[in-house]
Amino acid sequence: PWGINKDWLFYHPTHLGLTVLARTRITPKLGNGPIDQNWVSLAEVCWVLDPEMTYSYVHPAQPRDTWHKESKHIMKTGRFKARMLLAKYMVCQIDLMREMCLDFQVNAMKVLQAEYNFDMICCAIWDYTLPPLVRRSFCSYLSALWLHRYPHLE
């Protein structure tokens, strides 16, 4: 869990049993020095939001009926609960960014479109390994950031 002088928010990927896909090193403008960032799969974090649908996509090596056989045990683990917390937080962040774009907040949209380009959001919407709740959030975000704006509304 999070603590003072730790370089992660909520939980470190190793605490959650997540596979680190890439590592990057950044030097923040404020702070003590460089920070290592660990990048993980969004599907691996968010499958807990709809495990009946997405468990077999994220765990392809396991038999397809694993979730039905072991769901009660898996849901009681601390890792499952921590992933659930992190997944809900992530969905709320996407919804927050959508809200920031409403009423044509040009400054917010300018910053967010540099970080979340059209293609990236479309990839998230079309990713069948993501739960419908996550895809819905990205769909609403795409609409607010890229579609409901000048000149499309004329």
Side-chain angles (χ1 to χ4, degrees):
W2 181 86
I4 295 174
N5 295 325
K6 300 292 183 185
D7 62 349
W8 60 80
L9 177 64
F10 284 113
Y11 302 95
H12 193 276
T14 55
H15 295 150
L16 297 177
L18 298 171
T19 304
V20 176
L21 303 175
R23 286 182 166 73
T24 58
R25 182 170 280 242
I26 63 165
T27 304
K29 293 179 183 176
L30 302 174
N32 297 333
I35 297 173
D36 290 326
Q37 289 184 328
N38 298 304
W39 295 89
V40 298
S41 165
L42 189 57
E44 197 173 355
V45 173
C46 294
W47 69 265
V48 297
L49 295 172
D50 190 358
E52 288 186 18
M53 180 182 150
T54 57
Y55 184 84
S56 62
Y57 295 134
V58 178
H59 302 92
Q62 307 232 353
R64 294 204 40 86
D65 62 345
T66 301
W67 177 253
H68 296 292
K69 290 180 179 177
E70 299 183 24
S71 61
K72 291 180 183 177
H73 169 70
I74 294 171
M75 291 174 70
K76 290 180 183 177
T77 63
R79 280 188 175 173
F80 182 88
K81 293 175 183 175
R83 283 185 186 189
M84 180 67 79
L85 179 69
L86 188 59
K88 287 180 179 179
Y89 174 80
M90 193 270 321
V91 169
C92 288
Q93 289 299 303
I94 296 169
D95 290 340
L96 174 66
M97 289 184 292
R98 175 185 50 87
E99 290 287 328
M100 290 169 58
C101 296
L102 297 179
D103 297 327
F104 305 106
Q105 298 297 322
V106 178
N107 291 334
M109 293 171 83
K110 196 174 202 179
V111 170
L112 292 172
Q113 72 187 12
E115 189 72 29
Y116 294 89
N117 64 48
F118 185 84
D119 293 338
M120 190 200 81
I121 297 174
C122 285
C123 285
I125 292 169
W126 284 97
D127 186 354
Y128 66 90
T129 64
L130 292 176
L133 178 64
V134 176
R135 295 168 68 192
R136 187 261 328 145
S137 289
F138 275 113
C139 194
S140 298
Y141 185 37
L142 176 84
S143 179
L145 182 60
W146 289 101
L147 301 179
H148 289 156
R149 58 192 275 177
Y150 177 83
H152 307 305
L153 292 178
E154 291 186 349

